[in-house]
Structures are given as C-alpha cells and as structure tokens.
Amino acid sequence: INVSGSGMMELMASNTNSMGTTLSGGTLMAASPAALGSGAVTFAGGSLALRSDSSAASFSEQVTTNASGSISLDLGPVTSSNATPCSFTMGAGTFGVAMNLTGTAGESLILPSVALQNTSGSPTSIHNSANLIVNGPITMAAGATDGDILKDQAGTLTFEGNTANTY
C-alpha cells in the first residue's frame, strides 16, 4: 500500500497485503487490526490514524522511518461517540528525528522496543498528547549520533522492562 497526496485513505476491514505500507503524504486510517495486512509501515511523510472501539487493539506491523524522518500517528475510536480508551499495540519502532503521537483522552500506543537512528546530532523528539509505552529495550541503530530523547506535551512516556520509568 502506498499513500501519497493530501487526502485520506480508509481501510475498514482485513487486508491480505504482505508488502508493507509506505506513507508519503496524506493520512491512512486503519479501523481494523488486520487492515494494514503484514509488513512494516514506513513513514516518508504522511500520517497513520489507528482506530478501534475496543479497549485493546493489536496491530502487529513495525513502524519505521529514515534517520531524518518522523513518524506521525493518531489514535482514536472508530465511532465518535465511543468513550472507551484503547491501548493500541504495534510492532517495534524505528525513530528518526521525531515521533508525533496524538489521540483522544486515555488512548495509548504500546511498542515492544524502539531503535533510535537519528543522525542529526540533536535529540529525537517525542511529541505525545496520547500515552506512549515502550515495553522493551531502546537501542541505537548503526550510524545514529544521538541517543537522547526530548519529550514534550501532556501524554505520558513510559519505559518498562528492566528499568521502568515514566516521564
């Protein structure tokens, strides 16, 4: 799946795509954990909107971008009247210069691990109004120049595993 331009593409049901997804522009909304098929979601611009009316939704795809790129994710319900916050789980994350995470009140994104590959010499910025939980290791990818993380906005940032911390 390749998404470009300025519009929105909605995937509401299961998808058998096994080649991954590339976001170059616009917004891709996935309203089912199987909507993205299999393979990594690669950000080269654009954003991904994950939607669920359940209390938990597991999207198994990895989220990745290049060293100078950023990831933009928005979390929320399928039905606007649904007040049940959801914990969205995705595969491992590879962050470039920024991770932009937005969502409705109480929404969370859970990643099993994160690799920082920022080569800008500045910290990787995490802008999160929704909660971000990393359940495993944070590592430096080959060639990365800075392992620092700069967090802002009201969502919590939680590192779990051997050394659990919340910021």
Side-chain angles (χ1 to χ4, degrees), residues 41-140:
V41 177
T42 303
F43 289 82
S47 63
L48 177 62
L50 301 179
R51 299 290 182 255
S52 178
D53 286 342
S54 300
S55 61
S58 182
F59 291 78
S60 61
E61 296 76 21
Q62 295 181 16
V63 289
T64 186
T65 189
N66 62 35
S68 62
S70 63
I71 293 174
S72 294
L73 279 163
D74 182 64
L75 310 175
V78 175
T79 310
S80 61
S81 61
N82 181 15
T84 303
C86 183
S87 291
F88 293 87
T89 302
M90 290 199 78
T94 302
F95 295 178
V97 295
M99 167 63 162
N100 303 299
L101 180 63
T102 58
T104 55
E107 306 286 354
S108 297
L109 176 64
I110 302 167
L111 300 174
S113 63
V114 169
L116 302 176
Q117 65 172 5
N118 184 354
T119 58
S120 72
S122 298
T124 296
S125 296
I126 297 180
H127 311 288
N128 62 314
S129 60
N131 302 318
L132 176 59
I133 301 165
V134 179
N135 273 339
I138 297 177
T139 59
M140 297 271 294

